[in-house]
Amino acid sequence: MDEVDDILLKVHKTFDIVGKKWNGMIIYVLMSGPKRFSELHSSIPSLSKRMLNERMKELEEEEVVVRHVTNDRPVRIEYLLTKKGYELGMALEPISKWAIKWIK
């Protein structure tokens, strides 16, 4: 495999991550900081809890999101972007600006 093929595979994988329904919105919401599952769900009300749970597991597997368990009582679970996830969110920011300007 040559360098061009390798780059194409990486770009394709990135579009698979971002293009999967709800992933872009989840990343967008997490750009403002860590969120609990309930906060994520209330930020994207049309997303079912089952689907949110599935997407969070997938984003964790891709190392875009990390699940952080606090030592508080009761135990709190928060989700936050990894460095990889934050940089992906920064790459998506121009799309957000475009959407605000052009989508009615």
Side-chain angles (χ1 to χ4, degrees):
M1 180 183 322
D2 65 6
E3 187 177 343
V4 172
D5 289 338
D6 185 49
I7 291 169
L8 288 175
L9 286 173
K10 288 178 180 183
V11 170
H12 181 74
K13 178 67 175 176
T14 302
F15 281 120
D16 278 348
I17 294 168
V18 173
K20 198 167 234 184
K21 191 168 184 177
W22 303 114
N23 281 359
M25 282 302 303
I26 293 167
I27 294 167
Y28 180 80
V29 170
L30 287 174
M31 285 296 288
S32 63
K35 302 280 184 285
R36 296 174 67 183
F37 186 89
S38 60
E39 293 173 311
L40 280 167
H41 185 256
S42 65
S43 296
I44 315 170
S46 54
L47 173 58
S48 72
K49 289 181 180 180
R50 183 189 66 77
M51 183 60 68
L52 176 57
N53 188 51
E54 186 178 309
R55 292 297 182 251
M56 295 310 292
K57 286 180 182 176
E58 291 169 357
L59 290 170
E60 282 182 82
E61 288 174 13
E62 293 294 340
E63 299 178 342
V64 171
V65 169
V66 66
R67 182 177 184 260
H68 180 258
V69 180
T70 64
N71 293 327
D72 299 339
R73 293 286 176 219
V75 172
R76 288 179 45 154
I77 298 170
E78 291 183 327
Y79 295 90
L80 58 143
L81 294 172
T82 60
K83 182 178 181 192
K84 177 180 176 180
Y86 181 79
E87 288 185 13
L88 180 56
M90 292 300 293
L92 295 174
E93 192 172 307
I95 295 171
S96 301
K97 289 179 181 177
W98 179 89
I100 292 165
K101 181 177 180 179
W102 291 103
I103 300 298
K104 297 188 187 295

mmCIF file of all heavy atoms in Angstrom, residues 11-37:
data_model
loop_
_atom_site.group_PDB
_atom_site.id
_atom_site.type_symbol
_atom_site.label_atom_id
_atom_site.label_comp_id
_atom_site.label_asym_id
_atom_site.label_seq_id
_atom_site.Cartn_x
_atom_site.Cartn_y
_atom_site.Cartn_z
ATOM 1 N N VAL A 11 -8.737 9.006 5.816
ATOM 2 C CA VAL A 11 -9.809 9.979 5.577
ATOM 3 C C VAL A 11 -11.159 9.265 5.568
ATOM 4 O O VAL A 11 -12.134 9.735 6.161
ATOM 5 C CB VAL A 11 -9.564 10.760 4.261
ATOM 6 C CG1 VAL A 11 -10.783 11.583 3.878
ATOM 7 C CG2 VAL A 11 -8.330 11.650 4.403
ATOM 8 N N HIS A 12 -11.212 8.119 4.928
ATOM 9 C CA HIS A 12 -12.452 7.342 4.889
ATOM 10 C C HIS A 12 -12.893 6.959 6.302
ATOM 11 O O HIS A 12 -14.070 7.078 6.652
ATOM 12 C CB HIS A 12 -12.261 6.095 4.020
ATOM 13 C CG HIS A 12 -13.487 5.263 3.903
ATOM 14 N ND1 HIS A 12 -14.567 5.638 3.140
ATOM 15 C CD2 HIS A 12 -13.807 4.081 4.481
ATOM 16 C CE1 HIS A 12 -15.511 4.717 3.246
ATOM 17 N NE2 HIS A 12 -15.072 3.767 4.049
ATOM 18 N N LYS A 13 -11.962 6.505 7.128
ATOM 19 C CA LYS A 13 -12.270 6.135 8.516
ATOM 20 C C LYS A 13 -12.794 7.335 9.289
ATOM 21 O O LYS A 13 -13.752 7.230 10.069
ATOM 22 C CB LYS A 13 -11.019 5.549 9.189
ATOM 23 C CG LYS A 13 -11.200 5.175 10.621
ATOM 24 C CD LYS A 13 -12.150 4.015 10.770
ATOM 25 C CE LYS A 13 -12.223 3.577 12.225
ATOM 26 N NZ LYS A 13 -13.203 2.526 12.423
ATOM 27 N N THR A 14 -12.200 8.504 9.062
ATOM 28 C CA THR A 14 -12.649 9.721 9.734
ATOM 29 C C THR A 14 -14.083 10.053 9.351
ATOM 30 O O THR A 14 -14.912 10.367 10.205
ATOM 31 C CB THR A 14 -11.718 10.903 9.392
ATOM 32 O OG1 THR A 14 -10.393 10.558 9.776
ATOM 33 C CG2 THR A 14 -12.155 12.172 10.106
ATOM 34 N N PHE A 15 -14.392 9.956 8.054
ATOM 35 C CA PHE A 15 -15.762 10.218 7.611
ATOM 36 C C PHE A 15 -16.732 9.176 8.162
ATOM 37 O O PHE A 15 -17.894 9.503 8.435
ATOM 38 C CB PHE A 15 -15.847 10.306 6.090
ATOM 39 C CG PHE A 15 -15.378 11.626 5.553
ATOM 40 C CD1 PHE A 15 -14.307 11.687 4.672
ATOM 41 C CD2 PHE A 15 -15.983 12.815 5.927
ATOM 42 C CE1 PHE A 15 -13.860 12.902 4.175
ATOM 43 C CE2 PHE A 15 -15.549 14.035 5.435
ATOM 44 C CZ PHE A 15 -14.484 14.083 4.557
ATOM 45 N N ASP A 16 -16.280 7.960 8.355
ATOM 46 C CA ASP A 16 -17.128 6.947 8.994
ATOM 47 C C ASP A 16 -17.474 7.355 10.424
ATOM 48 O O ASP A 16 -18.614 7.213 10.858
ATOM 49 C CB ASP A 16 -16.432 5.582 9.031
ATOM 50 C CG ASP A 16 -16.551 4.814 7.731
ATOM 51 O OD1 ASP A 16 -17.354 5.215 6.858
ATOM 52 O OD2 ASP A 16 -15.828 3.803 7.583
ATOM 53 N N ILE A 17 -16.491 7.849 11.155
ATOM 54 C CA ILE A 17 -16.726 8.267 12.543
ATOM 55 C C ILE A 17 -17.667 9.470 12.584
ATOM 56 O O ILE A 17 -18.675 9.464 13.286
ATOM 57 C CB ILE A 17 -15.393 8.607 13.251
ATOM 58 C CG1 ILE A 17 -14.535 7.358 13.401
ATOM 59 C CG2 ILE A 17 -15.653 9.256 14.619
ATOM 60 C CD1 ILE A 17 -13.096 7.644 13.825
ATOM 61 N N VAL A 18 -17.340 10.497 11.834
ATOM 62 C CA VAL A 18 -18.108 11.748 11.866
ATOM 63 C C VAL A 18 -19.475 11.570 11.215
ATOM 64 O O VAL A 18 -20.463 12.149 11.663
ATOM 65 C CB VAL A 18 -17.319 12.883 11.174
ATOM 66 C CG1 VAL A 18 -18.160 14.138 11.056
ATOM 67 C CG2 VAL A 18 -16.046 13.173 11.932
ATOM 68 N N GLY A 19 -19.539 10.759 10.171
ATOM 69 C CA GLY A 19 -20.768 10.623 9.413
ATOM 70 C C GLY A 19 -21.813 9.731 10.047
ATOM 71 O O GLY A 19 -22.976 9.743 9.637
ATOM 72 N N LYS A 20 -21.435 8.982 11.054
ATOM 73 C CA LYS A 20 -22.405 8.107 11.706
ATOM 74 C C LYS A 20 -23.411 8.977 12.452
ATOM 75 O O LYS A 20 -23.033 9.911 13.165
ATOM 76 C CB LYS A 20 -21.696 7.164 12.668
ATOM 77 C CG LYS A 20 -22.531 5.979 13.055
ATOM 78 C CD LYS A 20 -21.687 4.950 13.744
ATOM 79 C CE LYS A 20 -21.871 3.632 13.032
ATOM 80 N NZ LYS A 20 -21.165 2.570 13.692
ATOM 81 N N LYS A 21 -24.672 8.674 12.253
ATOM 82 C CA LYS A 21 -25.734 9.504 12.824
ATOM 83 C C LYS A 21 -25.506 9.746 14.309
ATOM 84 O O LYS A 21 -25.247 8.820 15.055
ATOM 85 C CB LYS A 21 -27.089 8.846 12.599
ATOM 86 C CG LYS A 21 -28.240 9.773 12.916
ATOM 87 C CD LYS A 21 -29.541 9.228 12.424
ATOM 88 C CE LYS A 21 -30.631 10.258 12.687
ATOM 89 N NZ LYS A 21 -31.909 9.814 12.167
ATOM 90 N N TRP A 22 -25.579 10.984 14.700
ATOM 91 C CA TRP A 22 -25.471 11.524 16.055
ATOM 92 C C TRP A 22 -24.040 11.771 16.525
ATOM 93 O O TRP A 22 -23.844 12.548 17.456
ATOM 94 C CB TRP A 22 -26.203 10.655 17.085
ATOM 95 C CG TRP A 22 -27.640 10.460 16.781
ATOM 96 C CD1 TRP A 22 -28.258 9.290 16.449
ATOM 97 C CD2 TRP A 22 -28.667 11.459 16.759
ATOM 98 N NE1 TRP A 22 -29.587 9.499 16.215
ATOM 99 C CE2 TRP A 22 -29.866 10.827 16.402
ATOM 100 C CE3 TRP A 22 -28.673 12.829 16.995
ATOM 101 C CZ2 TRP A 22 -31.069 11.506 16.283
ATOM 102 C CZ3 TRP A 22 -29.878 13.511 16.876
ATOM 103 C CH2 TRP A 22 -31.054 12.848 16.522
ATOM 104 N N ASN A 23 -23.037 11.157 15.932
ATOM 105 C CA ASN A 23 -21.675 11.341 16.426
ATOM 106 C C ASN A 23 -21.229 12.797 16.366
ATOM 107 O O ASN A 23 -20.617 13.306 17.306
ATOM 108 C CB ASN A 23 -20.684 10.463 15.664
ATOM 109 C CG ASN A 23 -20.714 9.031 16.132
ATOM 110 O OD1 ASN A 23 -21.449 8.670 17.042
ATOM 111 N ND2 ASN A 23 -19.925 8.195 15.492
ATOM 112 N N GLY A 24 -21.515 13.464 15.263
ATOM 113 C CA GLY A 24 -21.134 14.873 15.142
ATOM 114 C C GLY A 24 -21.771 15.725 16.219
ATOM 115 O O GLY A 24 -21.124 16.589 16.813
ATOM 116 N N MET A 25 -23.050 15.473 16.503
ATOM 117 C CA MET A 25 -23.744 16.240 17.542
ATOM 118 C C MET A 25 -23.171 15.960 18.920
ATOM 119 O O MET A 25 -23.018 16.865 19.736
ATOM 120 C CB MET A 25 -25.247 15.927 17.533
ATOM 121 C CG MET A 25 -26.025 16.606 16.435
ATOM 122 S SD MET A 25 -25.905 18.422 16.476
ATOM 123 C CE MET A 25 -26.479 18.798 18.114
ATOM 124 N N ILE A 26 -22.850 14.716 19.189
ATOM 125 C CA ILE A 26 -22.265 14.354 20.486
ATOM 126 C C ILE A 26 -20.932 15.065 20.663
ATOM 127 O O ILE A 26 -20.666 15.660 21.714
ATOM 128 C CB ILE A 26 -22.112 12.824 20.608
ATOM 129 C CG1 ILE A 26 -23.490 12.158 20.664
ATOM 130 C CG2 ILE A 26 -21.264 12.454 21.821
ATOM 131 C CD1 ILE A 26 -23.465 10.647 20.473
ATOM 132 N N ILE A 27 -20.103 15.034 19.650
ATOM 133 C CA ILE A 27 -18.806 15.720 19.711
ATOM 134 C C ILE A 27 -19.021 17.215 19.895
ATOM 135 O O ILE A 27 -18.366 17.851 20.725
ATOM 136 C CB ILE A 27 -17.967 15.415 18.456
ATOM 137 C CG1 ILE A 27 -17.580 13.930 18.432
ATOM 138 C CG2 ILE A 27 -16.729 16.310 18.384
ATOM 139 C CD1 ILE A 27 -17.025 13.439 17.103
ATOM 140 N N TYR A 28 -19.971 17.787 19.151
ATOM 141 C CA TYR A 28 -20.276 19.221 19.250
ATOM 142 C C TYR A 28 -20.669 19.589 20.684
ATOM 143 O O TYR A 28 -20.167 20.566 21.243
ATOM 144 C CB TYR A 28 -21.411 19.562 18.274
ATOM 145 C CG TYR A 28 -21.815 21.010 18.283
ATOM 146 C CD1 TYR A 28 -21.077 21.957 17.583
ATOM 147 C CD2 TYR A 28 -22.935 21.426 18.977
ATOM 148 C CE1 TYR A 28 -21.448 23.291 17.590
ATOM 149 C CE2 TYR A 28 -23.312 22.759 18.986
ATOM 150 C CZ TYR A 28 -22.572 23.687 18.291
ATOM 151 O OH TYR A 28 -22.940 25.006 18.299
ATOM 152 N N VAL A 29 -21.524 18.802 21.306
ATOM 153 C CA VAL A 29 -21.966 19.081 22.682
ATOM 154 C C VAL A 29 -20.806 18.945 23.665
ATOM 155 O O VAL A 29 -20.655 19.759 24.580
ATOM 156 C CB VAL A 29 -23.146 18.159 23.077
ATOM 157 C CG1 VAL A 29 -23.452 18.245 24.555
ATOM 158 C CG2 VAL A 29 -24.387 18.497 22.245
ATOM 159 N N LEU A 30 -19.953 17.945 23.460
ATOM 160 C CA LEU A 30 -18.827 17.738 24.377
ATOM 161 C C LEU A 30 -17.717 18.768 24.211
ATOM 162 O O LEU A 30 -16.854 18.878 25.087
ATOM 163 C CB LEU A 30 -18.266 16.321 24.213
ATOM 164 C CG LEU A 30 -19.141 15.203 24.778
ATOM 165 C CD1 LEU A 30 -18.559 13.844 24.418
ATOM 166 C CD2 LEU A 30 -19.298 15.340 26.284
ATOM 167 N N MET A 31 -17.740 19.532 23.126
ATOM 168 C CA MET A 31 -16.727 20.581 22.946
ATOM 169 C C MET A 31 -16.804 21.623 24.061
ATOM 170 O O MET A 31 -15.807 22.257 24.388
ATOM 171 C CB MET A 31 -16.869 21.259 21.585
ATOM 172 C CG MET A 31 -16.376 20.432 20.416
ATOM 173 S SD MET A 31 -14.607 20.092 20.459
ATOM 174 C CE MET A 31 -13.936 21.714 20.074
ATOM 175 N N SER A 32 -17.970 21.782 24.670
ATOM 176 C CA SER A 32 -18.109 22.776 25.745
ATOM 177 C C SER A 32 -17.647 22.243 27.097
ATOM 178 O O SER A 32 -17.651 22.969 28.085
ATOM 179 C CB SER A 32 -19.559 23.253 25.835
ATOM 180 O OG SER A 32 -20.410 22.185 26.185
ATOM 181 N N GLY A 33 -17.252 20.972 27.161
ATOM 182 C CA GLY A 33 -16.727 20.412 28.397
ATOM 183 C C GLY A 33 -17.379 19.091 28.750
ATOM 184 O O GLY A 33 -18.316 18.648 28.073
ATOM 185 N N PRO A 34 -16.886 18.444 29.823
ATOM 186 C CA PRO A 34 -17.415 17.140 30.232
ATOM 187 C C PRO A 34 -18.912 17.208 30.518
ATOM 188 O O PRO A 34 -19.417 18.220 31.003
ATOM 189 C CB PRO A 34 -16.646 16.819 31.511
ATOM 190 C CG PRO A 34 -15.441 17.686 31.481
ATOM 191 C CD PRO A 34 -15.826 18.913 30.714
ATOM 192 N N LYS A 35 -19.587 16.108 30.213
ATOM 193 C CA LYS A 35 -21.028 16.029 30.442
ATOM 194 C C LYS A 35 -21.376 14.656 31.009
ATOM 195 O O LYS A 35 -20.776 13.652 30.652
ATOM 196 C CB LYS A 35 -21.812 16.194 29.132
ATOM 197 C CG LYS A 35 -21.574 17.471 28.386
ATOM 198 C CD LYS A 35 -22.364 18.615 28.966
ATOM 199 C CE LYS A 35 -22.215 19.886 28.175
ATOM 200 N NZ LYS A 35 -20.973 20.587 28.339
ATOM 201 N N ARG A 36 -22.382 14.651 31.865
ATOM 202 C CA ARG A 36 -22.946 13.390 32.326
ATOM 203 C C ARG A 36 -23.875 12.869 31.250
ATOM 204 O O ARG A 36 -24.309 13.618 30.369
ATOM 205 C CB ARG A 36 -23.690 13.610 33.645
ATOM 206 C CG ARG A 36 -22.722 14.042 34.755
ATOM 207 C CD ARG A 36 -23.423 14.411 36.008
ATOM 208 N NE ARG A 36 -24.047 13.226 36.593
ATOM 209 C CZ ARG A 36 -24.790 13.264 37.683
ATOM 210 N NH1 ARG A 36 -25.029 14.412 38.283
ATOM 211 N NH2 ARG A 36 -25.321 12.163 38.165
ATOM 212 N N PHE A 37 -24.194 11.595 31.319
ATOM 213 C CA PHE A 37 -25.049 10.972 30.318
ATOM 214 C C PHE A 37 -26.372 11.728 30.197
ATOM 215 O O PHE A 37 -26.837 12.018 29.098
ATOM 216 C CB PHE A 37 -25.301 9.504 30.692
ATOM 217 C CG PHE A 37 -26.046 8.734 29.643
ATOM 218 C CD1 PHE A 37 -25.363 8.075 28.636
ATOM 219 C CD2 PHE A 37 -27.435 8.663 29.665
ATOM 220 C CE1 PHE A 37 -26.055 7.360 27.662
ATOM 221 C CE2 PHE A 37 -28.131 7.958 28.696
ATOM 222 C CZ PHE A 37 -27.432 7.307 27.695
#
